[in-house]
Amino acid sequence: LCSKCGTLPPESCFFSLICSTGSFMVMLIALLRYAHVIEKHQNCVLNTAGLSTAWICAAGLIMVGNFQVDFAKVLHYVGAGVAFPSSMLFVCLQSALTYRLAKTQEEYRIGHLRVGMALLALIALVLSGVFFCQESFALQHASAIFEWIYCMLIMLFYGTFAFEFGGMSGDTLMVLSRGGGVQSFSTSSERKAEVGSSSNHHHHQTESFSML
């Protein structure tokens, strides 16, 4: 299992570091996605729920990484019980949100990709949980395989946000600084229309976010 690979030092040190860094990245990506949806469309229940589930997942991931299973089993399993279901819920919410906001053929293709990855992740998570409860060594081994598959699928799912983040600009972050309101986005759009000389600056900002 993933947790068993990070039980003893020095592996436990890297496991804790990776999980803590991953938790921060989950919070950052979810926050940028939240702001991007508000800037390009408008806020909605799915968007807010997606941000909430991602941050809950991040909290569980910190617990998983910093409380090793062989030395703090209860806290480790509590963290896993928070991180796995919330991460699954996050990808489902983002898949639904992608379809709701899709307007072009490319956006629909991204939606198809995310739904496919979400379904595969759900199957892997269910099979991993079912096999984990069995005493057979072969089924325990299968549980570990499906757990690794699930983790890889979730990380690849986060990678698909590169499609949306390629068009981000400094105004996306301004949405957050103003509280994420739709009116703030409207004001920002009007200001961009009035100040035509800033177009090149925004273009460079977009390229910077694309590179990131």
Side-chain angles (χ1 to χ4, degrees):
L1 297 170
C2 299
S3 302
K4 284 291 184 179
C5 293
T7 300
L8 300 174
E11 291 86 354
S12 60
C13 303
F14 287 103
F15 184 69
S16 177
L17 178 63
I18 290 171
C19 288
S20 298
T21 305
S23 177
F24 171 75
M25 293 301 298
V26 166
M27 294 178 65
L28 179 61
I29 293 173
L31 189 63
L32 291 176
R33 169 64 169 167
Y34 173 79
H36 178 267
V37 171
I38 295 176
E39 182 195 20
K40 298 300 181 182
H41 307 278
Q42 62 180 2
N43 201 7
C44 60
V45 176
L46 285 176
N47 193 32
T48 304
L51 177 65
S52 301
T53 53
W55 283 33
I56 292 173
C57 173
L61 188 57
I62 288 180
M63 294 185 66
V64 168
N66 291 279
F67 297 98
Q68 279 73 38
V69 65
D70 286 353
F71 305 104
K73 183 174 293 186
V74 174
L75 290 175
H76 182 86
Y77 283 150
V78 168
V82 171
F84 282 105
S86 58
S87 61
M88 187 68 246
L89 182 57
F90 173 77
V91 299
C92 291
L93 289 171
Q94 289 299 327
S95 299
L97 184 61
T98 303
Y99 274 117
R100 178 173 180 177
L101 302 179
K103 295 179 180 179
T104 65
Q105 194 65 30
E106 181 182 3
E107 291 173 341
Y108 277 106
R109 283 197 294 267
I110 296 172
H112 299 334
L113 174 63
R114 288 176 179 168
V115 167
M117 295 177 69
L119 289 175
L120 291 175
L122 178 60
I123 294 172
L125 180 62
V126 171
L127 291 177
S128 177
V130 171
F131 293 154
F132 180 76
C133 298
Q134 309 303 316
E135 297 182 358
S136 169
F137 174 78
L139 294 180
Q140 287 279 327
H141 187 66
S143 174
I145 293 175
F146 282 113
E147 184 181 77
W148 280 98
I149 292 175
Y150 174 79
C151 293
M152 294 299 106
L153 286 170
I154 295 299
M155 286 189 284
L156 289 173
F157 189 96
Y158 276 97
T160 63
F161 289 119
F163 293 104
E164 285 90 355
F165 291 174
M168 289 178 60
S169 65
D171 292 323
T172 306
L173 301 180
M174 294 301 295
V175 171
L176 294 176
S177 67
R178 290 170 177 156
V182 180
Q183 291 181 350
S184 299
F185 166 63
S186 299
T187 303
S188 177
S189 298
E190 292 173 1
R191 188 174 61 255
K192 285 196 299 180
E194 294 173 357
V195 187
S197 60
S198 63
S199 59
N200 292 331
H201 177 63
H202 290 308
H203 177 69
H204 291 307
Q205 287 181 322
T206 302
E207 290 181 347
S208 298
F209 275 102
S210 301
M211 186 175 296
L212 176 62

